Amino acid sequence: MHIREFFHIRKGDRTAMLVLLAVTVLVIVLFRFLGSHETTPFDSTDSLDVARFHEEKSRYGDEKKRYQNSDFEDFSASSAELFPFDPNTASADELLRLGLKPWQVKNMMKYRSKGGVYRKAADFAKLYGLTAEKFKQLEPYLRFTGDHRPASDLFAAEKSSVSADENRRERDTLRYPVKLKADEYVTIDMNHLDTAQLRKVPGIGSYFARKIVDYGRQLGGYVSVEQLSEIDGFPKESLPYFSLGWTNIRKLNLNALTINQLKRHPYINFHQARAIVDRRRLHGSLKNIDDLRLLPEFPDEAISRLAPYVEF
């Protein structure tokens, strides 16, 4: 028996086998086609899982691009530690231990390398990507020690402080001269006044020194130490330090001055100046101080104060 005859299949058998194979293929195709269009309660979930998978894949790609240049080891949020730190001097490892992201730490390092300085908490809060929750967590531990400054600044600050103290002492000496002691009653000439000399008197500063000089000019010179008491608020305890020296009083000619000129004197008001001018107009020039006694505007006290400053 030849081998060819052993594998020989009759024509009817071959036809049956081909039909069976075709039916089998058709059944498989129909099953797969109909099965892919069947709806089951789990189809929507499967579709959602597929979409979520693609979304996570895309996000992972973005995160991978963001971190691919990072040289820092990432610390998980659960392993974050909290401790006092200066954002200007803290190392990358310390910043990571605090729970900051590697790319945030890298941004901080770049900012500091370009001369950036965190001077207050608000500056640190501007760190890109820092959430409000994380900032509130780190804020109590922020410290701004100034250790990032060059060491030469310490000596510059010391020198500046010494210079400031020296200048302050010089200014204080000029503005606040050394006061006379309680047992040093060195008298100051009332009519030869100098504001620098006046400020040596206890109770007399720049304000009253100017007032004393100005009031003396308005009067035409002091004739009594007690006239200082006419300055508003003048400290009475300062009077013993003053004495009346040689006087050169500037006097008013009551027969030549106008109302406006007369009323400029501290001891003559507008009504008194007008009374003097009216008296001159009606009765001629005043002869002496007694003529003022004829005017009701001048009581005896006013005449006594004014007498050293008038002439006729």
Side-chain angles (χ1 to χ4, degrees):
M1 183 176 182
H2 297 287
I3 285 182
R4 185 177 180 181
E5 292 180 355
F6 179 78
F7 289 100
H8 176 71
I9 302 175
R10 291 177 298 177
K11 183 178 181 180
D13 295 335
R14 288 200 304 270
T15 302
M17 292 176 62
L18 291 175
V19 172
L20 180 61
L21 179 61
V23 172
T24 303
V25 171
L26 180 60
V27 170
I28 293 174
V29 171
L30 290 176
F31 178 81
R32 292 181 61 85
F33 178 76
L34 294 177
S36 63
H37 288 77
E38 289 180 356
T39 58
T40 65
F42 305 99
D43 280 345
S44 58
T45 303
D46 294 339
S47 299
L48 181 60
D49 290 340
V50 172
R52 186 175 299 165
F53 169 77
H54 288 293
E55 181 181 354
E56 293 295 333
K57 183 179 180 181
S58 176
R59 182 181 302 170
Y60 172 76
D62 293 340
E63 293 294 328
K64 183 178 180 181
K65 291 179 181 178
R66 181 179 297 174
Y67 299 135
Q68 63 183 358
N69 296 324
S70 176
D71 300 328
F72 307 122
E73 179 186 357
D74 193 5
F75 284 74
S76 63
S78 60
S79 62
E81 303 177 29
L82 295 177
F83 51 85
F85 71 101
D86 185 343
N88 296 297
T89 58
S91 65
D93 180 65
E94 290 174 332
L95 295 173
L96 289 169
R97 284 166 52 200
L98 289 165
L100 294 176
K101 298 296 183 182
W103 55 273
Q104 290 176 319
V105 175
K106 188 172 184 179
N107 288 340
M108 288 184 64
M109 293 302 175
K110 287 183 178 179
Y111 176 72
R112 282 160 43 173
S113 67
K114 294 179 180 179
V117 177
Y118 298 96
R119 293 183 173 84
K120 52 184 182 297
D123 295 339
F124 180 72
K126 296 177 182 178
L127 178 63
Y128 180 75
L130 184 64
T131 63
E133 179 183 3
K134 188 63 178 177
F135 174 74
K136 291 178 181 178
Q137 184 185 32
L138 296 177
E139 185 179 15
Y141 299 92
L142 286 170
R143 301 292 186 271
F144 301 94
T145 60
D147 292 340
H148 63 283
R149 296 182 297 120
S152 59
D153 288 357
L154 298 175
F155 298 95
E158 181 179 352
K159 182 178 179 181
S160 176
S161 177
V162 172
S163 299
D165 290 339
E166 292 177 351
N167 293 336
R168 189 179 301 110
R169 284 195 294 270
E170 292 178 1
R171 288 197 300 270
D172 288 345
T173 302
L174 294 174
R175 294 182 58 188
Y176 307 104
V178 178
K179 298 292 186 180
L180 298 173
K181 296 180 180 179
D183 56 347
E184 295 179 347
Y185 288 95
V186 178
T187 56
I188 297 176
D189 192 342
M190 292 281 294
N191 291 306
H192 296 82
L193 298 173
D194 178 12
T195 55
Q197 186 182 18
L198 290 172
R199 283 179 292 168
K200 294 181 181 180
V201 176
I204 303 299
S206 299
Y207 173 78
F208 281 116
R210 290 194 303 269
K211 284 291 185 180
I212 291 171
V213 174
D214 292 343
Y215 193 57
R217 289 172 181 169
Q218 294 174 23
L219 288 171
Y222 289 99
V223 296
S224 171
V225 173
E226 284 69 25
Q227 286 178 292
L228 294 174
S229 300
E230 298 171 6
I231 300 174
D232 290 340
F234 186 85
K236 300 293 182 62
E237 61 274 12
S238 301
L239 291 177
Y241 294 91
F242 294 88
S243 65
L244 186 62
W246 177 77
T247 59
N248 183 19
I249 303 301
R250 186 178 68 255
K251 296 193 175 186
L252 306 173
N253 189 330
L254 297 186
N255 291 317
L257 300 178
T258 65
I259 293 178
N260 289 332
Q261 292 172 328
L262 289 169
K263 72 176 184 177
R264 290 174 186 167
H265 195 277
Y267 293 163
I268 301 177
N269 59 38
F270 171 77
H271 300 288
Q272 291 172 333
R274 186 174 61 181
I276 293 173
V277 173
D278 290 343
R279 170 72 185 183
R280 286 169 10 200
R281 180 171 55 82
L282 296 175
H283 303 283
S285 299
L286 285 75
K287 302 297 188 295
N288 52 51
I289 194 70
D290 290 332
D291 288 345
L292 292 179
R293 300 183 189 280
L294 302 175
L295 302 176
E297 289 81 5
F298 285 91
D300 292 340
E301 181 183 355
I303 293 175
S304 298
R305 290 198 309 169
L306 185 59
Y309 297 99
V310 298
E311 62 183 6
F312 303 91

